[in-house]
């Protein structure tokens, strides 16, 4: 069974979103692809606001975006289904994803300044935070490839979920898998109990060795890396060093407002990465 069979790509009219869409079309030619745009909703008589714009005029550019997306797909000889919704973008993206039983959401990434890159955009953050579906975030000028994956793991049930998905990726795309885990012990803790660092390193080494044997048992080419320092920095540095095509990370399960935080490591990797980042949720 193919890893991703039903793919939902979200466009908002930006160059970044169309780039992500074209990349998705290119890599998923044999899949079921849906392209969604969400226009703002307004219930009432716009003329009362004195702006002289009709609901049809507001929705027109969004529908034109779908027409443009269809033209892009036809250029690649791929059939896509266009979807138009009105409302809060992240809510509609999640609702549509559930309705069509999508197993992957693809979104472009904006970001001009360093701050914008780290924040990545509230819609993307909320989709990742609230959806139970994997999300692939595609930076501008990047290419979706699966040849060499850098998979960030930690010693937790979420690390296990990421590894299981990495095995599926390797089977589906014949990928080389590089496992990375960064050990970081806060200086305040290290000062009081320095042995904690060695304990954490040994625990991580054992875990990665077990994972390496598991991947080799599946005949998957695998390398492991244990780094010391801030996880997001080490992940990005290693991605550049090994020329990774894609970074795979997990988003720890959260509830309420904490969903929006998703974890600083995940957030910063997505915001600062120059290659696509797959956030594993399912």
């Amino acid at each position: 069974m193919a890893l991703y069979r039903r793919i939902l790509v979200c466009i908002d009219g930006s160059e970044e979103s169309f780039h992500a869409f074209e990349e998705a079309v290119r890599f998923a030619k044999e899949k079921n692809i849906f392209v969604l745009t969400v226009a703002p909703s307004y219930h009432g008589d716009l003329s009362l606001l004195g702006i002289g714009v009709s609901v049809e005029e507001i929705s027109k550019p969004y529908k034109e975006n779908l027409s443009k997306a269809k033209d892009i797909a036809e250029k690649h000889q791929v059939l896509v289904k266009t979807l138009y919704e009105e409302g809060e973008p992240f809510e509609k993206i999640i609702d549509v994803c559930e309705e069509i039983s999508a197993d992957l959401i693809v979104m472009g990434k904006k970001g001009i300044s360093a701050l914008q890159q780290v924040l990545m955009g509230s819609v993307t953050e909320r989709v990742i935070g609230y959806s139970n579906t994997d999300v692939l975030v595609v930076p501008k000028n990047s290419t979706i490839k699966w040849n060499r994956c850098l998979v960030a793991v930690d010693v937790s049930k979420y690390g296990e979920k990421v590894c299981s998905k990495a095995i599926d990726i390797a089977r589906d795309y014949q990928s080389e898998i590089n496992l990375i885990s960064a050990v970081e012990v806060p200086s305040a803790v290290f000062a009081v109990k320095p042995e904690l660092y060695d304990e954490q390193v040994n625990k991580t080494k054992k875990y990665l060795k077990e994972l390496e044997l598991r991947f080799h048992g599946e005949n998957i080419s695998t390398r492991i890396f244990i780094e010391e320092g801030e996880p997001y920095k080490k992940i990005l540095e290693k991605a550049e060093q090994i020329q990774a095509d894609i970074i795979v990370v997990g988003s720890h399960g959260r509830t309420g407002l904490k969903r929006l935080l998703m974890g600083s490591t995940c957030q910063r990797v997505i915001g600062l990465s120059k290659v696509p980042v797959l956030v594993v949720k399912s």
Side-chain angles (χ1 to χ4, degrees):
M1 180 178 176
L3 176 59
Y4 295 119
R5 299 173 64 88
R6 298 174 71 83
I7 299 171
L8 176 64
V9 188
C10 309
I11 59 172
D12 59 10
S14 67
E15 185 179 345
E16 292 85 355
S17 69
F18 278 116
H19 171 72
F21 172 71
E22 186 159 15
E23 279 300 304
V25 166
R26 189 186 56 76
F27 103 83
K29 288 190 174 184
E30 306 302 322
K31 318 287 185 178
N32 292 312
I33 303 176
F34 301 79
V35 55
L36 168 68
T37 194
V38 183
S41 60
Y42 181 80
H43 303 288
D45 187 351
L46 287 172
S47 64
L48 297 177
L49 299 179
I51 58 177
V53 179
S54 67
V55 172
E56 290 74 21
E57 287 176 296
I58 291 176
S59 65
K60 183 179 178 181
Y62 293 90
K63 292 179 178 178
E64 289 176 345
N65 288 338
L66 291 177
S67 179
K68 180 179 176 181
K70 203 164 186 179
D71 290 341
I72 292 172
E74 287 178 357
K75 182 182 72 174
H76 290 275
Q77 298 182 319
V78 175
L79 291 176
V80 298
K81 183 172 181 180
T82 59
L83 303 169
Y84 171 83
E85 294 286 339
E86 295 179 357
E88 179 65 39
F90 89 90
E91 291 179 351
K92 290 299 180 180
I93 292 169
I94 293 170
D95 289 345
V96 168
C97 181
E98 292 177 354
E99 288 169 11
I100 67 174
S101 299
D103 42 32
L104 179 67
I105 299 172
V106 178
M107 305 183 74
K109 187 189 77 174
K110 298 180 182 179
I112 301 172
S113 68
L115 177 60
Q116 285 176 313
Q117 287 178 330
V118 172
L119 293 179
M120 85 177 82
S122 62
V123 174
T124 303
E125 286 184 89
R126 290 179 176 181
V127 169
I128 293 171
Y130 285 97
S131 175
N132 293 318
T133 303
D134 293 356
V135 179
L136 179 61
V137 183
V138 184
K140 185 179 178 181
N141 299 324
S142 67
T143 301
I144 298 177
K145 293 192 297 184
W146 305 85
N147 300 339
R148 182 173 293 134
C149 301
L150 180 64
V151 182
V153 297
D154 56 15
V155 187
S156 71
K157 63 179 181 180
Y158 304 106
E160 176 62 28
K161 188 178 291 187
V162 171
C163 282
S164 295
K165 188 57 61 79
I167 289 174
D168 291 337
I169 289 171
R171 287 173 176 165
D172 221 33
Y173 300 107
Q174 292 75 54
S175 311
E176 171 194 297
I177 300 297
N178 297 272
L179 300 171
I180 182 171
S181 190
V183 177
E184 181 183 29
V185 175
S187 56
V189 176
F190 183 80
V192 177
K193 201 171 183 181
E195 66 270 20
L196 272 181
Y197 175 76
D198 289 337
E199 290 175 7
Q200 191 62 35
V201 168
N202 291 333
K203 185 178 180 181
T204 302
K205 280 182 179 178
K206 180 181 177 183
Y207 179 63
L208 287 183
K209 281 294 183 183
E210 290 172 353
L211 291 179
E212 185 180 34
L213 289 174
R214 179 179 168 187
F215 277 79
H216 286 168
E218 299 283 347
N219 293 317
I220 297 170
S221 176
T222 311
R223 293 186 294 174
I224 60 173
F225 301 97
I226 300 174
E227 302 290 334
E228 176 187 351
E230 285 191 81
Y232 86 91
K233 288 183 179 179
K234 294 304 175 181
I235 292 168
L236 293 171
E237 287 172 4
K238 186 58 66 175
E240 186 169 356
Q241 179 186 336
I242 69 171
Q243 297 183 317
D245 298 311
I246 192 165
I247 299 173
V248 182
V249 297
S251 179
H252 287 199
R254 294 164 186 268
T255 58
L257 290 175
K258 287 184 178 180
R259 284 176 179 263
L260 299 182
L261 300 177
M262 82 177 76
S264 61
T265 296
C266 179
Q267 186 180 41
R268 289 177 175 179
V269 168
I270 295 169
L272 297 170
S273 176
K274 296 178 183 178
V275 299
V277 178
L278 175 68
V279 183
V280 175
K281 301 297 296 288
S282 58

